Amino acid sequence: MNPSIGRRRFLGYVLAAPTLVAAAELGRTPAAHAQPQAQLPSPELTELLDLNDLMTVAALPTSGLITVEVERDGTVSFALPRAEVGQGITTSTAMLIAEELTVPLERVRVTLADARPELVFNQLTGASNTTIATYTPIRVAAAVARHRLLAAAAAELGSPVTDLALKAGSVTDRLRGKEIDIGALAEKAASAQPRQVPVVLAERENFTVIGKPHNRIDALDAVTGRKKFTMDLAVAGAKPTMVCRPPTINGTVGSVANLAEVRTMPGVTDVVVISTGVAVRAETFGQCIDAVRALRVSWKPGTAEGKSDQSVLRELAAAELPLGLAPPVPTVEAKFTFHFRSNSALEPNCAIADVRADRAEIWSALKSPIVARETIAAKLRLPLSKVTVHVTEGGGSFGRKLFFDAALEAAEVSQRIGKPVKLMWHRADDSRQGRTHPMATSRVRVAYAGDTVLGYQQRHTSVSTDLGHGLGEVITAMAAKLPVGDIGFAQTFFHLSQAMSYRFGISTQLLSETGKGFNTGSMRNVYSPDVTCARELIVDRLAGKMGKDPYLFRRDFLHDDRSRAVLAKAAEAGDWGRPMPPGTAQGIAFHAEYKAVSAALVEIDCRPETVNRPIRDGVTGPRVTKAVFAVDVGLAVNPRGLEAQMMGGVSDGIALALTSSLHLRDGYFLEASWDNYFYTRQWNTPPELRIIVMPSTSENPGGAGELGVAASMAAVACAYGRATGTMPTTFPINHGTLSFEPKPTVPPLPPSPTDGMDHAR
């Protein structure tokens, strides 16, 4: 290791530019920062290397291409190479820069970078990796800028650097009282050629921004409607466009009986057959919907033709890896089923495309823009250099925007008609043809003797998860360095993301996949909610067999003090063990991932008067009345943002446990919008919700974006089992209740409701 680099000492670069532009040294800074300490090897793979480590190492070589720029007006600009989709990373990134440059947070301007192929694996947003991978490079780049500004101010003021202080965006000579704004130094601090600069990062005990709760920098724009999403962009000539889609998953167009007639409908400018259906471009989206509903299309079979929940379950059973013969000691064993779930975000799937004969320009909220750009270029048969992809902010993702279906579709439509398009999926499109969390089963067997757990086996079987969004390329590039060997994308993902947090003897968790006829995706937390839910339910049953309290059992078997502390905090804050009426109960669960640990305690009401209360057009069922979630992510850059993410994760967990799923019948999903896809609604949201951010236990941040889901889902499931006396084995628990009349698949878009005022209260 370079002797000048240490825990806080780093090398960076001043780049050649008209104003001050600074970067971390190429590929070296984070590697030095992450030098492993000598220690005995651990039997738990994720303690040695997890998926987040893999992504961080893959991003190292291009970390020096991420730059911080000081502008002439005194603001600081940074183009973030990750996607802001509501998780708050533009705010936490601005905080890192404000800390090292000692400028007010409001003077930091964070935008989203266009697709930059030179960044290779450093422009993929997923696996809770953004803050971990960018934490040091961004701080180093900002520290280099601080170093240069002080040097330029020393020359300008004729003062020694030791007499200067940079604070609140100005450099002050503490002895002479002179002051100069950083904007006036932006050109003077610039360099005509790249220069290497050693810097020292701020001491953690001196942090004034990092680790302090801050509101989101875009909060006001978001609540006042000024924030710009894809559909808000004014691109010249881009008119509303929608697609008439097949009645079954991935069906294709056979013929269209009335193309000419639909082209003459009011407002319609173009109608064209594309690979995914029939595209309609019109003056308004309402006119698009009318035209889509008017089309008479003969469809060819799709990739899931004739399949149903039951047929997929049979396929999963056939693909399940065996547990082997039961050992000659007591065991606890069960099999759990997890149905398809929609991966739709609240913001409709959308993109803008302007494709000409010799070039293409795309706008969309993309978490894998480099792969999107490469795929679009290949689809259009254009040189990569002729395709520009702009990353816009997104209204939610949860893994959905790792895929760029709308952008690819918009590019195809624009090329076919030779005009710009503003393409938007209908709610029904995303429910029926969009990305889903795969149906899966999980069989668990635990062997024990007395108070000792001898072994834990879990065989997770899932419909194939599509990892063709860029993560597969990361895994391929790093395969030779992985301790799991060449076992394929999904298996590598599974092994590097699933941790066994308990001292359960010899532990094996294996994945098997089947069926590639579905449009699946890396839904938030991917495998972890299902795997953890199955494990925690078995832990409850095991505790019962041993005659132990579920909380105390977990506490005694957890690997480390940090995990025990977060579990204890949830139990204490939630008043674990308090007397509760019959039909109600508490549940507690633990989950660890990506250098972070979490625990959830919930209280559930399963009494008949609650389960059977009337809810219009809704799955009612049990209600979670209280939730306490404790989290330790190491260093929390923005505790307020972390708290908000955990709140969302708790709602995700409640939904996955109780209500949200897709029903597959005859090759299509019955759900056609959010009105009959039952994500956590007001009647299932806990009136009492508390998020506890534990004191920082590390110099570095851990993963947080997905962390809130698994423990929450598992705690709800455990609470349900204790309240009813029956361990649930099928999720969501209310999947068997179809509380709505399925809408027709032809035409594919349901008619817009006209009775909204009838339901106003």
Side-chain angles (χ1 to χ4, degrees):
M1 186 174 78
N2 190 311
S4 66
I5 302 177
R7 185 172 66 87
R8 292 179 51 249
R9 298 181 61 83
F10 295 88
L11 295 176
Y13 276 97
V14 182
L15 304 182
T19 57
L20 176 58
V21 179
E25 182 169 3
L26 183 66
R28 179 178 253 168
T29 297
H33 188 63
Q35 286 293 318
Q37 301 296 315
Q39 58 183 356
L40 292 175
S42 165
E44 177 57 40
L45 175 61
T46 54
E47 293 179 12
L48 296 173
L49 177 76
D50 64 21
L51 183 65
N52 213 297
D53 294 326
L54 181 72
M55 295 180 66
T56 301
V57 171
L60 291 181
T62 60
S63 61
L65 300 179
I66 301 173
T67 60
V68 171
E69 182 171 358
V70 178
E71 307 288 356
R72 295 178 180 88
D73 63 358
T75 60
V76 182
S77 298
F78 181 75
L80 179 64
R82 308 293 171 106
E84 171 64 78
V85 288
Q87 75 275 51
I89 57 174
T90 51
T91 300
S92 58
T93 295
M95 291 172 65
L96 300 180
I97 295 170
E99 183 69 71
E100 291 296 338
L101 259 175
T102 58
V103 298
L105 194 60
E106 57 269 19
R107 289 177 69 167
V108 182
R109 305 283 185 264
V110 178
T111 57
L112 303 184
D114 289 348
R116 296 177 58 191
E118 69 273 16
L119 291 178
V120 193
F121 301 129
N122 211 350
Q123 204 172 6
L124 178 67
T125 308
S128 303
N129 181 249
T130 295
T131 302
I132 291 177
T134 63
Y135 178 71
T136 301
I138 291 172
R139 289 183 62 200
V140 171
V144 170
R146 183 186 70 231
H147 174 278
R148 290 292 296 177
L149 288 168
L150 287 170
E156 183 72 11
L157 299 174
S159 306
V161 170
T162 53
D163 290 347
L164 302 180
L166 174 53
K167 187 176 181 180
S170 295
V171 179
T172 303
D173 185 324
R174 289 170 294 200
L175 298 180
R176 300 166 183 82
K178 298 179 181 178
E179 184 176 337
I180 186 169
D181 189 82
I182 61 172
L185 298 169
E187 293 184 30
K188 297 177 177 67
S191 177
Q193 59 186 10
R195 294 185 186 180
Q196 191 178 70
V197 178
V199 293
V200 177
L201 299 186
E203 291 275 9
R204 178 174 169 178
E205 54 267 28
N206 295 328
F207 284 172
T208 60
V209 182
I210 296 175
K212 313 300 180 184
H214 284 271
N215 292 333
R216 289 183 49 146
I217 58 176
D218 58 353
L220 182 60
D221 284 348
V223 299
T224 56
R226 292 193 296 248
K227 189 172 180 179
K228 298 294 184 183
F229 298 97
T230 303
M231 290 291 96
D232 298 317
L233 302 180
V235 175
K239 292 186 182 297
T241 303
M242 298 183 77
V243 176
C244 179
R245 302 183 190 278
T248 58
I249 296 170
N250 296 329
T252 55
V253 175
S255 61
V256 185
N258 61 339
L259 270 178
E261 175 187 334
V262 173
R263 285 180 179 134
T264 65
M265 290 182 65
V268 173
T269 65
D270 301 270
V271 184
V272 62
V273 175
I274 59 172
S275 58
T276 54
V278 184
V280 175
R281 180 177 181 268
E283 297 295 333
T284 69
F285 282 110
Q287 291 168 335
C288 287
I289 291 173
D290 290 342
V292 165
R293 288 179 54 79
L295 283 164
R296 297 197 300 274
V297 185
S298 173
W299 298 98
K300 296 179 181 179
T303 55
E305 204 73 14
K307 291 189 176 183
S308 65
D309 284 347
Q310 292 308 311
S311 69
V312 175
L313 283 174
R314 290 192 292 270
E315 292 176 15
L316 292 173
E320 183 180 302
L321 298 174
L323 285 171
L325 295 175
V329 294
T331 62
V332 173
E333 182 175 337
K335 182 176 181 178
F336 304 90
T337 297
F338 305 91
H339 285 276
F340 284 107
R341 288 137 288 181
S342 176
N343 199 7
S344 301
L346 267 180
E347 178 192 29
N349 206 17
C350 52
I352 299 173
D354 184 0
V355 179
R356 307 297 172 94
D358 60 343
R359 62 172 179 83
E361 196 166 5
I362 312 294
W363 294 259
S364 192
L366 302 168
K367 296 175 73 173
S368 54
I370 295 174
V371 178
R373 184 171 180 246
E374 292 168 348
T375 307
I376 291 169
K379 178 82 170 180
L380 301 178
R381 297 186 178 181
L382 286 174
L384 192 60
S385 60
K386 298 298 183 181
V387 178
T388 301
V389 170
H390 304 290
V391 180
T392 62
E393 293 201 29
S397 170
F398 314 107
R400 176 64 179 94
K401 290 182 172 65
L402 278 164
F403 290 91
F404 40 88
D405 307 310
L408 187 62
E409 206 169 49
E412 181 182 0
V413 177
S414 182
Q415 185 182 55
R416 291 291 309 277
I417 66 176
K419 303 171 186 176
V421 300
K422 181 178 281 191
L423 183 141
M424 181 173 68
W425 287 36
H426 190 275
R427 296 293 191 195
D429 296 337
D430 234 352
S431 296
R432 289 174 169 168
Q433 300 287 348
R435 299 285 169 171
T436 69
H437 193 299
M439 181 184 283
T441 61
S442 213
R443 187 182 295 276
V444 182
R445 177 192 289 165
V446 182
Y448 67 100
D451 291 338
T452 303
V453 179
L454 302 174
Y456 178 94
Q457 296 172 281
Q458 187 164 13
R459 302 294 178 261
H460 195 70
T461 313
S462 172
V463 169
S464 177
T465 298
D466 189 344
L467 297 175
H469 44 53
L471 185 56
E473 293 185 15
V474 174
I475 293 172
T476 299
M478 304 298 293
K481 303 177 183 179
L482 296 179
V484 293
D486 185 13
I487 57 173
F489 297 163
Q491 288 80 4
T492 302
F493 192 127
F494 184 81
H495 284 295
L496 296 182
S497 63
Q498 300 310 304
M500 171 45 68
S501 302
Y502 300 104
R503 294 179 289 104
F504 279 176
I506 298 173
S507 169
T508 60
Q509 294 173 285
L510 301 177
L511 171 71
S512 176
E513 289 194 319
T514 183
K516 293 192 174 183
F518 298 93
N519 303 318
T520 59
S522 303
M523 188 173 174
R524 192 180 192 186
N525 227 193
V526 198
Y527 300 106
S528 294
D530 298 352
V531 171
T532 299
C533 181
R535 183 195 70 206
E536 294 294 298
L537 283 165
I538 289 293
V539 168
D540 261 16
R541 177 172 282 189
L542 188 59
K545 292 286 186 181
M546 292 185 177
K548 295 187 176 182
D549 174 87
Y551 156 61
L552 295 177
F553 179 88
R554 286 174 170 83
R555 186 197 65 184
D556 293 344
F557 278 92
L558 281 170
H559 273 300
D560 55 72
D561 290 340
R562 183 184 180 215
S563 299
R564 285 187 285 272
V566 78
L567 182 73
K569 177 55 71 173
E572 175 194 5
D575 194 13
W576 171 261
R578 75 181 185 89
M580 296 189 67
T584 68
Q586 294 178 316
I588 195 166
F590 175 86
H591 175 66
E593 66 176 29
Y594 309 145
K595 313 296 185 295
V597 294
S598 65
L601 180 150
V602 305
E603 293 184 357
I604 200 167
D605 185 349
C606 295
R607 292 173 295 187
E609 58 267 33
T610 298
V611 172
N612 299 322
R613 68 196 189 280
I615 296 291
R616 177 177 55 85
D617 297 332
V619 175
T620 310
R623 182 178 192 184
V624 175
T625 55
K626 176 181 178 179
V628 176
F629 194 91
V631 57
D632 180 349
V633 297
L635 175 62
V637 174
N638 183 7
R640 186 165 294 153
L642 174 62
E643 183 180 354
Q645 286 200 323
M646 296 307 105
M647 287 180 177
V650 169
S651 287
D652 284 348
I654 293 171
L656 293 176
L658 296 180
T659 55
S660 70
S661 62
L662 295 167
H663 295 76
L664 180 66
R665 179 191 296 172
D666 297 329
Y668 71 97
F669 293 117
L670 302 186
E671 283 72 14
S673 188
W674 283 94
D675 61 347
N676 49 42
Y677 179 78
F678 296 104
Y679 185 80
T680 305
R681 306 296 176 92
Q682 193 65 43
W683 61 80
N684 283 328
T685 302
E688 187 177 347
L689 172 60
R690 182 181 177 191
I691 308 297
I692 302 169
V693 177
M694 300 289 282
S696 296
T697 56
S698 170
E699 286 288 327
N700 299 302
E706 302 175 283
L707 185 63
V709 185
S712 301
M713 178 187 183
V716 174
C718 291
Y720 180 88
R722 298 184 76 218
T724 62
T726 302
M727 182 178 71
T729 57
T730 299
F731 297 92
I733 288 165
N734 284 324
H735 180 77
T737 303
L738 195 67
S739 65
F740 61 93
E741 184 68 29
K743 295 179 174 66
T745 57
V746 179
L749 302 185
S752 298
T754 58
D755 61 346
M757 292 301 295
D758 296 342
H759 303 298
R761 293 178 181 175

